Amino acid sequence: MAVKGLGQLDQDYDGSKLRVGIIHARWNRQIIDALVEGAIKRLQSLGVKEENIVVETVPGSFELPWGTDRFIQKELESGRRLDAVIPIGVLIKGSTMHFEYISDSVTHAIMGLSSKHNRPVIFGLLTCLTEEQALARAGIDEGKTMHNHGEDWGAAAVEMAVKFNE
Ligand SMILES: O=Nc1c(NC[C@H](O)[C@H](O)[C@H](O)CO)[nH]c(=O)[nH]c1=O
């Protein structure tokens, strides 16, 4: 049964048995905090228990790939498996090519982590040309022109973990 209003979900998923990690950068913090809040809200709406949502931070988006890799491994070493991880970062184009290089390299590095760890690592990186674009995708721009993309990332984490985790 399609669950109305829950973004792109194709059915109602039960996240009550999942443990989900969120690892976020600390650049553009107002936008990051809104995205993290949106992801947590959607995870909880799909049954993930508050105590099973683990939040970690890294300095910036460039640190997300290795930080995520180590986050998964360290949780496993301490006997607490993460069933899905959502790295969250906000890159906003400046006057140099810094943005392009970080966006491209971090995107590819994050994509490889799902296969490496055999569990969903969701793409929570906003790569925006202006701050207004980023605010809109966090659902906190003046006109509330878009929904909070963090909610989509929470839904994707639950769907992929329930559907495909061994
Ligand atoms: O420059 N802009 C940004 C940024 N730079 C820092 C970079 O990710 C890294 O932390 C440092 O280079 C140190 O390794 N990090 C972001 O998340 N968003 C940005 O918009």
Side-chain angles (χ1 to χ4, degrees):
M1 172 203 66
V3 183
K4 297 221 178 320
L6 277 183
Q8 312 303 323
L9 282 180
D10 56 352
Q11 58 180 286
D12 194 4
Y13 294 100
D14 173 13
S16 60
K17 296 185 177 62
L18 297 180
R19 192 161 180 279
V20 179
I22 293 175
I23 180 168
H24 69 77
R26 296 191 297 269
W27 273 62
N28 305 305
R29 192 64 194 256
Q30 178 202 6
I31 300 165
I32 288 283
D33 287 349
L35 292 166
V36 170
E37 187 184 337
I40 291 173
K41 184 179 109 184
R42 181 59 64 83
L43 288 170
Q44 291 179 322
S45 78
L46 292 168
V48 181
K49 297 180 179 65
E50 189 173 351
E51 62 268 24
N52 287 337
I53 300 173
V54 189
V55 181
E56 184 52 276
T57 78
V58 291
S61 294
F62 187 82
E63 282 75 38
L64 282 173
W66 191 66
T68 301
D69 190 22
R70 291 299 300 142
F71 186 29
I72 293 169
Q73 289 174 334
K74 289 181 74 168
E75 285 295 296
L76 205 52
E77 286 157 11
S78 57
R80 301 185 304 263
R81 174 190 163 93
L82 290 174
D83 296 300
V85 184
I86 309 171
I88 295 179
V90 176
L91 284 160
I92 298 175
K93 172 87 177 132
S95 55
T96 68
M97 289 290 289
H98 197 223
F99 166 84
E100 283 82 352
Y101 288 116
I102 297 182
S103 300
D104 191 47
S105 54
V106 170
T107 299
H108 287 290
I110 285 176
M111 188 176 284
L113 292 176
S114 295
S115 304
K116 175 177 179 181
H117 293 284
N118 200 26
R119 76 201 62 184
V121 177
I122 302 305
F123 184 61
L125 188 70
L126 291 187
T127 54
C128 298
L129 299 178
T130 64
E131 186 177 21
E132 188 55 37
Q133 284 181 355
L135 290 164
R137 284 152 185 78
I140 55 175
D141 58 324
E142 288 267 304
K144 296 265 184 264
T145 53
M146 299 179 91
H147 70 281
N148 182 332
H149 285 37
E151 295 180 14
D152 299 337
W153 306 336
V158 172
E159 175 179 348
M160 295 300 284
V162 169
K163 253 183 189 169
F164 299 112
N165 276 7
E166 287 166 347

